[in-house]
Amino acid sequence: MTIKVKAIIGSTSSTSYNLKLVNFMAKRYEDQLTIIPVLINDLDMFSIDNESEPPAAVRAFKDDVKDSDAVLFATPEYNFSIPGAMKNALDWLSRGGDFTLHGKPGFIVGASMGMFGSIRAQIHLREILSNPALAPILLPSNEVYVGAIHNKLNEAGDIVDEATITFLDTVVENFLTFYRKQQAVAEA
C-alpha cells in the first residue's frame, strides 16, 4: 500500500519548477508514495466576509487536501518568502474549524532558478505552519532546497542531476520512516 500524499503547489505558473519537481517525485517514488499535485490557482482570496460560506473552489481544495495520508508543500521563493497564492491557500486551510492539516504528516520541498532554492521561503512556511490551526507534523531536519533547478532538468521536465536525485531518495526514505513512526504513535 502506498501513502497518499497531496502536494500543494505554491506556484501558479504554467511552467512551475515546483510542479515539475513534484511530478518527478510522483514518478520516481510511485511504488511508495501516491503523490497528487493540488493546484491553488483558482482559490478566491481569503476574506472573513465569506469565511463561513467559502466558495466552491475553496471547499473542493480543502476536501482534496483532507483526503490524504500526508501533505507535501512545494514552494518557490518570491521576495524572500512564500508566494501570496500559497499564503492565501494556507489562510483558507487554517479557517473554518475543520483543522484540515492538524496532525497530518508532511514535508517541504522547494525549487528555484536561484542558487539557494527557496531557503527563506521554507523558513517562513515552517513558521506559518506552526500555527495551531494548521499544525501538520513536519519531517524535521530534511530541508529540500533545489537551487538552479533549470540546469537540473531535461527537456521532458525530469531531474537529471544525480546529486539532487540521491538527496531526494534519502529524504523520501526518511519521510517513509517518519510517516510509519507517526502512524504507530497514532495507533497506540
Side-chain angles (χ1 to χ4, degrees):
M1 182 180 101
T2 62
I3 300 166
K4 185 194 286 188
V5 179
K6 295 296 175 84
I8 300 174
I9 309 301
S11 171
T12 59
S13 170
S14 63
T15 60
S16 169
Y17 287 119
N18 284 277
L19 180 56
K20 290 176 183 179
L21 172 59
V22 166
N23 286 336
F24 173 80
M25 292 175 70
K27 286 187 281 187
R28 182 160 181 89
Y29 308 112
E30 67 186 347
D31 292 343
Q32 300 135 320
L33 304 172
T34 301
I35 300 175
I36 304 162
V38 177
L39 303 179
I40 58 176
N41 303 34
D42 296 328
L43 297 181
D44 291 43
M45 290 301 294
F46 173 79
S47 172
I48 199 159
D49 295 337
N50 59 0
E51 176 182 7
S52 62
E53 292 186 31
V58 170
R59 290 191 310 272
F61 165 69
K62 291 177 81 170
D63 289 344
D64 195 13
V65 172
K66 190 179 288 188
D67 180 33
S68 65
D69 301 315
V71 178
L72 171 60
F73 301 91
T75 187
E77 183 171 308
Y78 293 175
N79 297 315
F80 298 173
S81 189
I82 63 173
M86 175 69 103
K87 178 64 168 78
N88 182 58
L90 294 171
D91 288 343
W92 279 115
L93 288 172
S94 74
R95 304 303 286 215
D98 56 358
F99 301 101
T100 306
L101 295 176
H102 194 269
K104 197 174 283 279
F107 63 120
I108 302 172
V109 299
S112 75
M113 292 176 64
M115 193 169 154
F116 298 115
S118 79
I119 289 172
R120 291 171 283 223
Q122 290 191 39
I123 291 168
H124 286 171
L125 180 56
R126 285 181 183 277
E127 183 178 351
I128 293 164
L129 291 172
S130 72
N131 176 331
L134 292 168
I137 303 170
L138 294 175
L139 174 67
S141 304
N142 283 266
E143 287 78 16
V144 179
Y145 313 123
V146 183
I149 185 75
H150 59 293
N151 295 326
K152 297 175 180 175
L153 298 169
N154 64 17
E155 296 78 30
D158 292 324
I159 295 175
V160 293
D161 179 71
E162 286 302 319
T164 301
I165 293 169
T166 299
F167 184 68
L168 284 172
D169 289 348
T170 300
V171 170
V172 168
E173 189 57 42
N174 291 343
F175 179 75
L176 292 168
T177 301
F178 172 77
Y179 179 84
R180 289 183 199 110
K181 286 180 182 176
Q182 294 303 315
Q183 290 306 109
V185 168
E187 293 169 2

